[in-house]
Every structure is written in C-alpha cells, then in structure tokens.
Amino acid sequence: MKKTYLALAAGVSIFAAAAVAMGGNGQSAHIDNSWFNSGADELRQLPADLAVLRPTQHSHDYAKIRHYSENDTLARTMGRNVTLRQVIGEAYDCAPAQVILPDDAPQGRFDFLVTTSGDAREQLRNLIQTEFHYTANPEIQNVEVFTLTVSNPALPGFAVSATDETSDVNYAGGRLYFTHQPVSRIIDGLSQGLNRLVLDQTGLTNNYDYSFTWNHDIGKAMENSQWGADGVRKALANRGLALESGNISTNMYVVTRTQ
C-alpha cells in the first residue's frame, strides 16, 4: 500500500543474475511483470507451476499482496514491492510486525509469486530457505502492542462499499484510496510505521471505501518505522478510530539462518 524508491542493499549476492527460482519442473520460464498487478481473480488464471522470489521490479508501485484460496487452503499468492518481513509474514501466516529479522537481513524490496500445486505458504517458505537460507520459528514473547478500536460508530470518512465493487488500493492526487476494503486493511501499514504490532479490535466486518493523505515522505517514514503515535492517533480519530496501548504475550517469529 505504498510507494518506495529504495534500492536493494549492496552485497545481496544471493540474488545475482536475476535470481528467479522456478517451481514445478525446475525449468526457467518467462515472468511477465504484469502478473504482479493481478487481483485475486487474475491470480487464479495465471500459469501454473510458478515459484518466484526476486528483487522487486516494481519499485515505483505501492506494495501489494493478493491471495487465491481453494478448500480453505491458500492455493496461490502474489506479492509486489514488499519487505522481507512481509514475505516471511505471508509464508508463516503472521503479521509482519511479528517477524524478528537478524541484524544483517537484506533491507531491499521483493516480488514473489507462487502458483504451484499444494499449500502456497509452504512453497513460499521453501523459496525463502533456498534463496536466503532463512527459517522462522515461533517463540512466545511479551510485547507492547497497539489496539485499533472504534471511538465514533458513525465512522466519518468511511463509506460502506457496494457488494459488487472491485477491491483495490490506488494512489492519486496526494491520497491513498482504498476501495471495497476492510478497515483491517490498514493494520500492516500501521504496524510498520509505528514499529509495533497493531491488533484489530474494531469488530467491523463490512468493506468500505476510504482514503488517507499520502506522499513520498509519509511512505518513507512508514518504511523506516518513523511514524509518531500522536500524529497517527489524530488521523484515525478524524475517522472514528482510536489507537490504544497495551501488552500481550504472543508468538513472535524469530528468523535464523539454516546454514
């Protein structure tokens, strides 16, 4: 949900020479960059047997993750211009703020695409281990958190969207527009910007149309976990939401090298 102009950190040699890992029969295949614009319906129609993890080729696009599930199992997944924390969060089905990276972890952005048969999260974990030699293990820790709650049930700035609207996030004219999205869609961005796990306790189940002021500086501050809690609280209060502090014991996913 953000724009970024970060370059990959020097020395990430594991991604040299295009660094595309292919699943299925292990043979290389052409990767169409337009595939990383896919929504859930388009993701379902992409070619099978793709397993890709690469440095992003969409550095000027907002971050995006899309899913396609079958029989309550994540069958396909796609990420564009996302952090390593987001990749690992997707692979281990946890919030990126629950991922604890080693100090020397790559700081760049990545694209991933998994359309192989079976559990897409397992396939993505395999890619992470192959390309980074990383694995993550859950560990109960007591951590400070924020909880997102409703302070004004009128929710000014949120309009319940029509059931036939297409889900999307777009940037235009200094604002980030969320279409047919749950309020929880902003949780990951809040967690990253505030550098703290944010829990959704709004109880809201509708999809909404809403927007927030957005620009390059706000995006960079989010990427660097430099948002101030007071400013975030003010922006949320104008839309009927509140951010409260607390502590919980929860699983944190500690990332370590496998070799």
Side-chain angles (χ1 to χ4, degrees):
M1 55 180 278
K2 50 210 176 267
K3 291 187 172 184
T4 179
Y5 302 93
L6 294 177
L8 283 174
V12 188
S13 59
I14 55 175
F15 283 110
V20 174
M22 299 304 304
N25 58 16
Q27 297 178 357
S28 61
H30 171 69
I31 303 301
D32 191 328
N33 279 339
S34 69
W35 293 345
F36 294 89
N37 298 323
S38 298
D41 288 341
E42 293 87 356
L43 179 59
R44 178 177 59 86
Q45 300 175 45
L46 294 184
D49 298 327
L50 299 174
V52 181
L53 177 58
R54 68 182 190 183
T56 188
Q57 296 186 22
H58 297 272
S59 60
H60 296 289
D61 294 320
Y62 62 85
K64 177 177 183 177
I65 293 178
R66 291 293 182 268
H67 301 139
Y68 171 68
S69 297
E70 291 180 347
N71 301 320
D72 297 324
T73 297
L74 186 64
R76 294 184 170 202
T77 183
M78 179 275 294
R80 178 186 73 189
N81 193 25
V82 294
T83 64
L84 183 56
R85 268 198 177 90
Q86 290 172 298
V87 177
I88 294 174
E90 177 71 357
Y92 288 85
D93 196 17
C94 68
Q98 291 174 271
V99 176
I100 300 176
L101 292 171
D103 292 338
D104 61 349
Q107 298 299 307
R109 294 284 177 132
F110 305 94
D111 304 326
F112 64 82
L113 176 61
V114 177
T115 66
T116 54
S117 60
D119 187 332
R121 294 192 197 281
E122 181 180 357
Q123 299 294 335
L124 186 54
R125 291 195 294 270
N126 291 339
L127 280 175
I128 292 167
Q129 186 164 357
T130 299
E131 299 300 326
F132 292 101
H133 306 292
Y134 282 165
T135 188
N137 294 292
E139 180 180 301
I140 295 291
Q141 296 186 9
N142 186 266
V143 295
E144 293 182 340
V145 300
F146 288 118
T147 57
L148 187 67
T149 60
V150 174
S151 58
N152 179 357
L155 294 176
F158 289 87
V160 177
S161 58
T163 56
D164 60 350
E165 274 191 302
T166 300
S167 298
D168 206 353
V169 182
N170 288 293
Y171 172 81
R175 298 191 72 82
L176 201 58
Y177 290 91
F178 297 78
T179 304
H180 197 69
Q181 297 285 341
V183 171
S184 61
R185 182 67 173 79
I186 65 175
I187 291 291
D188 285 351
L190 290 172
S191 295
Q192 183 173 357
L194 294 164
N195 196 29
R196 188 181 299 185
L197 184 63
V198 178
L199 306 178
D200 180 13
Q201 295 187 358
T202 62
L204 299 172
T205 57
N206 286 324
N207 287 315
Y208 298 88
D209 299 338
Y210 53 96
S211 67
F212 289 92
T213 300
W214 198 258
N215 57 42
H216 180 261
D217 290 340
I218 294 173
K220 287 292 287 284
M222 182 183 72
E223 292 159 6
N224 295 322
S225 300
Q226 294 176 342
W227 281 358
D230 289 344
V232 171
R233 284 191 172 102
K234 182 177 180 180
L236 293 173
N238 292 337
R239 290 161 177 78
L241 300 175
L243 201 64
E244 301 174 358
S245 299
N247 291 79
I248 64 168
S249 291
T250 188
N251 271 330
M252 301 295 287
Y253 287 77
V254 180
V255 178
T256 57
R257 279 196 176 272
T258 56
Q259 64 178 42

